[in-house]
Amino acid sequence: AQSVSQHNHHVILSEAASLELGCNYSYGGTVNLFWYVQYPGQHLQLLLKYFSGDPLVKGIKGFEAEFIKSKFSFNLRKPSVQWSDTAEYFCAVNAIDFNKFYFGSGTKLNVKP
Amino acid sequence: EAGVVQSPRYKIIEKKQPVAFWCNPISGHNTLYWYLQNLGQGPELLIRYENEEAVDDSQLPKDRFSAERLKGVDSTLKIQPAELGDSAVYLCASSLGRGRFNEQFFGPGTRLTVL
């Protein structure tokens, strides 16, 4: 079975610190890649997505992610986090051949003011 | 534009009872997904519809779970009978279709507690 690994389950940062959340997947075929965010009490929302082209993808609220095909990775980054970034972040992979989505287990980010 | 609507938001039942969840996707979205999300885990696909056809139900426990999407719009997910281990959040999502149109929009979920 395909898998998506998010190695950091819980991250605690102070405001203005830099963020990098890891995401690795196992599917060897063509993929679309996503990061979703779930703010406290809200539903899952799309943060950014990669379909093709430039492997560095910019999303909302200053987030970006880099697709490194050789490493099967799609890490999420933000240079300076804010308290309002406190949320749970999910990486998702769509295996194009099967149009099947696989989600990671999520990373809870807690930003201290 | 209205998002994905789910009801109820919360449901508490006793084991062996039946339960049903309802989802109304975003207008025009042909693809509808039902996911199960356990505490501390990411969503896991139960079933995917393209229009009214269930194109991927390989992860749906068919002995107790069933789903339908009549007329290719609203969908209902049913559990009968519910077991303690079914306590989870049930998410519905929709998308326009495949490829560049497969961005999923999620509803708020139904939190099921089985006592």
Side-chain angles (χ1 to χ4, degrees), chain A residues 32 34 36 38 43-44 46 49 51-52 90 94 96 98-101 103-106, chain B residues 33 35 37 40-43 48 50 56 58 91 98-100 102-104 106-108:
Chain A
N32 290 338
F34 306 82
Y36 282 87
Q38 189 166 25
H43 57 272
L44 282 161
L46 184 70
K49 59 190 176 187
F51 287 139
S52 63
F90 292 91
N94 177 226
I96 295 296
F98 312 108
N99 196 24
K100 195 147 187 167
F101 280 83
F103 282 80
S105 58
Chain B
Y33 311 77
Y35 287 92
Q37 186 175 20
Q41 300 294 319
R48 173 168 63 91
E50 290 184 6
D56 184 356
S58 57
L91 297 169
R98 287 178 170 241
R100 288 186 172 272
N102 67 0
E103 174 187 336
Q104 294 181 65
F106 284 84

Side-chain angles (χ1 to χ4, degrees), chain A residues 19-32:
Chain A
L19 170 72
E20 181 159 3
L21 301 181
C23 173
N24 287 90
Y25 61 93
S26 61
Y27 182 67
T30 306
V31 294
N32 290 338

Side-chain angles (χ1 to χ4, degrees), chain B residues 6-65:
Chain B
Q6 289 187 249
S7 69
R9 293 291 310 277
Y10 303 92
K11 189 74 177 179
I12 300 174
I13 60 172
E14 293 189 346
K15 62 181 181 181
K16 299 185 181 180
Q17 294 299 306
V19 64
F21 314 124
W22 176 80
C23 173
N24 180 241
I26 292 173
S27 177
H29 280 196
N30 297 325
T31 305
L32 184 145
Y33 311 77
W34 281 103
Y35 287 92
L36 165 72
Q37 186 175 20
N38 287 305
L39 192 64
Q41 300 294 319
E44 299 173 34
L45 182 70
L46 288 171
I47 189 168
R48 173 168 63 91
Y49 282 93
E50 290 184 6
N51 297 305
E52 65 276 7
E53 182 183 358
V55 295
D56 184 356
D57 63 356
S58 57
Q59 301 302 311
L60 189 72
K62 298 181 184 63
D63 57 336
R64 297 185 301 108
F65 286 64

